[in-house]
Amino acid sequence: MTSVSVAILQLFREKGGFVSGEVISRELHVSRTAIWKQINGLRRAGYVIEAVPSRGYHLLSAPDLLSPGEIAGYLKAKLIGRRLVCLATTTSTNSDAFRLAEQDAVEGTVILSDGQSSGKGRLGRVWSSPEGVNLYCSVILRPGIMPYEAPQLTFLSAVAVARTIELVSDLKPEIKWPNDVLIKGKKVAGLLNEMNAETDVINFVILGIGVNLNMTAEQFPPDLRHPATSILLESGRPVGRARFAALLMGELDRLYRDFRTNGFGPVRAEWQQRCNAHGRELAISDGGADVVKGMFAGIDSYGALLVAGAGGKIERILSGDVRIL
Ligand code: BT5
């Protein structure tokens, strides 16, 4: 999509209703003939645009495309999304982001793809990524923090995803330690953060975010580790992918800029509020019998789950299966 078409779409969204050729021409410094050509290009890409001689152009509907033009129309973020790379397909947006970050891509670059052929979960697991229905994106950050503080950014992305789900639906998402977002106990989003670091400096962090937006029941693989769902399945209404992507970038932007000024405190507080274990008793097992039991006591700055055992002794949990009793 050309930069003029992107700007025309932005004008349609800003002004609403009919926008005259004269206004477009004046604001974008392009001729009326050039506008006509761009409008026809947009129509070929699936946009339905009405043209009435005395009134101008009117955007009636937009395809559910994950294109820079569609996303830019909704995007208000300053840092996150200042460069957008939208792909029709790829192996994994995290791998693409890693490569771009190694080539000095600016902080805030976001890579999105319509589908992924080898979407990555944690520990070598696979993230199911059918085309055209969900959000798969990776954000490049260059935070001035120590490598051991990097898990803080995973918590930040979980809060951003939960906030965005609330913006587009009436659903009440919950966060499950360490990195899942759930709706009614079923996984709707997964986060995979990767980094390139030396002993005491982070070169960059990749926030990998997968959210099941419009996936149907048949599109889920049968052998998932935990029950899974999508926003469509839970709310009964499809979600515009570009709008969701832009709103998510907006929340990431707000949280990240606050994080850089005020540190991890605000993110930690909101994460703890939104955690499904908030105020609950937990049992943690290492695959076999329960090893620790106690009340949820939050998370620490290294990403550990804190559990208050009998007598108030705080245990730090770094891995394991967490059950709510
Ligand atoms: C995660 O791993 O939850 C991290 C997923 C991160 C995906 C994003 S998409 C954009 C970016 N690019 C990438 O290549 N990755 C990131 P984990 O906690 O290990 O969960 C993986 C497990 O969840 C799998 O083993 C399945 O059982 C299950 N699963 C796979 N696909 C799923 C889906 N679409 N929805 C819910 N569960 C799924």
Side-chain angles (χ1 to χ4, degrees):
M1 188 175 299
T2 65
S3 57
V4 179
S5 327
V6 170
I8 292 178
L9 289 173
Q10 254 162 337
L11 270 187
F12 283 146
R13 296 226 158 83
E14 269 164 40
K15 304 211 179 282
F18 277 94
V19 186
S20 70
E22 193 189 332
V23 167
I24 303 177
S25 163
R26 195 176 56 232
E27 299 220 2
L28 305 182
H29 309 290
V30 286
S31 71
R32 303 287 279 264
T33 331
I35 296 169
W36 180 243
K37 279 193 190 143
Q38 299 294 332
I39 294 282
N40 281 336
L42 285 169
R43 283 176 170 157
R44 280 194 300 277
Y47 292 84
V48 180
I49 300 168
E50 186 184 10
V52 176
S54 55
R55 303 179 69 191
Y57 301 101
H58 181 197
L59 176 64
L60 294 175
S61 74
D64 188 22
L65 289 179
L66 263 188
S67 63
E70 270 301 297
I71 296 170
Y74 299 105
L75 192 60
K76 296 206 173 66
K78 296 191 174 72
L79 177 70
I80 310 291
R82 61 178 157 159
R83 181 178 165 207
L84 295 174
V85 179
C86 295
L87 306 168
T89 187
T90 188
T91 49
S92 151
T93 55
N94 261 37
S95 308
D96 296 328
F98 214 93
R99 246 188 331 271
L100 282 179
E102 281 173 337
Q103 294 158 13
D104 293 331
V106 286
E107 178 170 62
T109 300
V110 181
I111 293 88
L112 304 104
S113 184
D114 209 42
Q116 299 183 116
S117 56
S118 320
K120 294 192 281 186
R122 291 174 305 149
L123 308 168
R125 293 192 283 255
V126 171
W127 186 252
S128 169
S129 311
E131 277 177 26
V133 284
N134 292 334
L135 182 74
Y136 316 109
C137 72
S138 300
V139 182
I140 299 175
L141 296 181
R142 301 183 184 278
I145 56 174
M146 298 292 279
Y148 64 81
E149 294 171 311
Q152 299 174 357
L153 294 168
T154 315
F155 297 125
L156 184 150
S157 22
V159 170
V161 169
R163 283 187 183 181
T164 310
I165 292 175
E166 286 175 357
L167 289 175
V168 301
S169 71
D170 295 329
L171 300 167
K172 287 273 153 274
E174 288 183 319
I175 302 175
K176 178 177 169 234
W177 182 84
N179 70 345
D180 294 345
V181 182
L182 312 178
I183 294 176
K184 297 182 194 143
K186 290 177 270 183
K187 182 158 169 167
V188 71
L191 310 167
L192 174 68
N193 289 0
E194 298 181 284
M195 68 171 162
N196 176 314
E198 284 144 49
T199 324
D200 53 2
V201 59
I202 288 185
N203 297 321
F204 58 81
V205 172
I206 307 297
L207 301 185
I209 304 176
V211 189
N212 300 332
L213 299 179
N214 301 320
M215 208 166 169
T216 58
E218 313 78 68
Q219 286 176 307
F220 284 96
D223 54 348
L224 293 178
R225 298 170 73 230
H226 301 289
T229 194
S230 69
I231 297 184
L232 172 67
L233 287 174
E234 295 304 320
S235 71
R237 290 175 48 194
V239 183
R241 293 184 305 155
R243 176 164 172 258
F244 189 94
L247 291 174
L248 175 63
M249 288 180 218
E251 293 307 323
L252 285 169
D253 193 73
R254 249 189 291 283
L255 285 160
Y256 184 60
R257 284 186 297 124
D258 188 28
F259 173 83
R260 294 220 298 203
T261 320
N262 301 313
F264 182 47
V267 169
R268 188 204 323 235
E270 186 169 342
W271 190 97
Q272 291 176 168
Q273 280 295 326
R274 291 178 173 278
C275 179
N276 65 344
H278 189 76
R280 308 289 295 270
E281 194 183 3
L282 308 177
I284 290 88
S285 69
D286 56 4
D290 292 343
V291 239
V292 177
K293 270 192 187 166
M295 290 300 290
F296 173 73
I299 44 170
D300 72 11
S301 11
Y302 308 95
L305 174 68
L306 304 177
V307 178
K313 183 172 175 285
I314 302 280
E315 299 267 2
R316 294 182 71 237
I317 311 294
L318 293 168
S319 66
D321 286 326
V322 180
R323 262 183 317 119
I324 297 179
L325 297 175

